[in-house]
């Protein structure tokens, strides 16, 4: 997992959400929202991992 991959997933999800909204496709909107949230979780996990590694090195 990486912050960049998480951010990319968020962007892809947002695009899907917007496309779903424009086409009035609730399924695509939901799929995009889930993908966006998954990307956010991935980015947050990567940030936490980086902080843990940084703190471990300082000790």
């Amino acid at each position: 997992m990486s912050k960049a991959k998480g951010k990319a997933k968020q962007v892809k999800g947002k695009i899907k959400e917007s496309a779903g909204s424009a086409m009035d496709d609730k399924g695509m909107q939901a799929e995009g929202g889930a993908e966006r949230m998954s990307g956010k979780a991935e980015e947050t996990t990567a940030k936490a991992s980086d902080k843990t590694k940084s703190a471990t090195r300082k000790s």
Side-chain angles (χ1 to χ4, degrees), residues 16-30:
K16 261 189 190 176
E17 273 185 297
S18 297
S21 180
M23 295 187 300
D24 198 29
D25 184 338
K26 301 292 182 198
M28 185 182 278
Q29 278 181 292

Side-chain angles (χ1 to χ4, degrees), residues 1-38:
M1 284 187 268
S2 74
K3 290 185 274 186
K5 283 184 182 179
K7 189 57 98 172
K9 223 179 209 184
Q10 288 179 63
V11 170
K12 184 178 172 187
K14 185 63 180 166
I15 291 169
K16 261 189 190 176
E17 273 185 297
S18 297
S21 180
M23 295 187 300
D24 198 29
D25 184 338
K26 301 292 182 198
M28 185 182 278
Q29 278 181 292
E31 193 176 311
E35 193 164 353
R36 187 172 49 84
M37 296 309 292
S38 173

